[in-house]
Amino acid sequence: MGTASLAMATSGASLLTSCAPAEKKIVTPSTELRLSFQEGTAPGASLNEKFDYMENLGIVGFEPGGWNLAERVNEFQQALSGRNIKVSAICAGFKGFILAEDPKVKAEFDSTMRDIIAAAGELGSTGVIMVPAFNSQTPCKPHTLETREYLCEQMHELGEYALKHNTTVILEPLNRREAHYLRLVSDAAAICRDSKSAGVKCMGDFWHMQEDTNDYAAFLSAGKEYLQHVHVASRGRRIMPGEDGELDNYVEGFRALKQMEYPYYVSFECGTKGDRNQTVKAAVELLRAQWEQA
Ligand code: MG
């Protein structure tokens, strides 16, 4: 979606188009659960062993960290060649942070983030995940209206840069123990809207979504226009889904994803307390069963 159509949609002009004759286009419902693993999720001594394991389980996405990504593009391209696995998203990896008070720290963010975005584009990634500021990152710009406007301006620039590289930047809300600034999926989606760039997207992480009161409403608040990625972990200790027993219920969130025909990935971001060979498979089975139930 381009900036012009985004402006139309946000001004309410899109309401008018609903009165026009329906466009005859064939829409393929994307109600399939596309699972993705980070580099450390699958057992295996090498990238190829991990990808073999993932293919056997029907895992179709891979989410590498962004650190040093430009130097790993060839390695990933070769290991993924001929496989039914694509790069889902890139998990951060930049230096500095976007809300840094210190211009040197901000400049470090700008240059390292842009390098990762360019490499993400080469890998066909849906986007690069970022957090505006962790609690531990200081000095940070104050939580004011001016800072939000600054963030939207900066995100606009990053989003436009990402679009030139055929990818996006994905804002990740965290729980309050890790980040005060951005804690709700709906808040992240509003920043996407106000950044006025189709290259600015957001995500939800089932682990962090303790701040959202309802998984279903949280995902729907971002909708298909802004929701670009999802992280999953157990909901008590951030280990494999299922390892925290009945706490690990994703049905309401999955119901929203199915309803909006979410076309992207649900990616594991978690450790395990058990035998990885067993807990990873059990987690995949659990998520598939809950997806069916949703
Ligand atoms: Mg996450």
Side-chain angles (χ1 to χ4, degrees), residues 189-207:
I191 292 172
C192 295
R193 180 196 62 200
D194 297 342
S195 295
K196 295 186 167 64
S197 167
V200 181
K201 302 289 184 181
C202 69
M203 60 174 289
D205 179 324
F206 277 106
W207 161 253

Side-chain angles (χ1 to χ4, degrees), residues 12 58 226 256:
Y226 302 120

Side-chain angles (χ1 to χ4, degrees), residues 38 63 91 129 172-174 203-208 230-232 238 269:
Q38 289 187 338
E63 182 189 316
C91 193
I129 300 166
E172 178 169 15
L174 305 183
M203 60 174 289
D205 179 324
F206 277 106
W207 161 253
H208 288 292
V230 170
H231 275 161
V232 72
R238 206 182 195 181
E269 184 178 52

Side-chain angles (χ1 to χ4, degrees), residues 176-254:
R176 69 186 67 213
R177 288 184 301 278
E178 291 193 39
H180 282 295
Y181 196 85
L182 186 59
R183 305 189 309 267
L184 297 166
V185 176
S186 55
D187 196 8
I191 292 172
C192 295
R193 180 196 62 200
D194 297 342
S195 295
K196 295 186 167 64
S197 167
V200 181
K201 302 289 184 181
C202 69
M203 60 174 289
D205 179 324
F206 277 106
W207 161 253
H208 288 292
M209 285 162 61
Q210 305 154 19
E211 303 281 330
D212 301 273
T213 51
N214 183 293
D215 296 339
Y216 176 79
F219 284 145
L220 279 194
S221 72
K224 209 171 175 177
E225 187 169 1
Y226 302 120
L227 192 76
Q228 189 88 349
H229 198 59
V230 170
H231 275 161
V232 72
S234 79
R235 308 194 84 166
R237 293 171 293 168
R238 206 182 195 181
I239 46 182
M240 285 298 151
E243 284 191 272
D244 282 327
E246 289 192 354
L247 280 179
D248 297 342
N249 189 321
Y250 311 92
V251 175
E252 283 301 294
F254 283 173

Side-chain angles (χ1 to χ4, degrees), residues 117-118 120-122 124-127 160-168 228:
I117 289 170
E122 283 188 69
S125 173
T126 67
E160 293 298 296
Y161 181 83
L163 287 180
K164 282 183 195 147
H165 289 273
N166 298 313
T167 190
T168 69
Q228 189 88 349

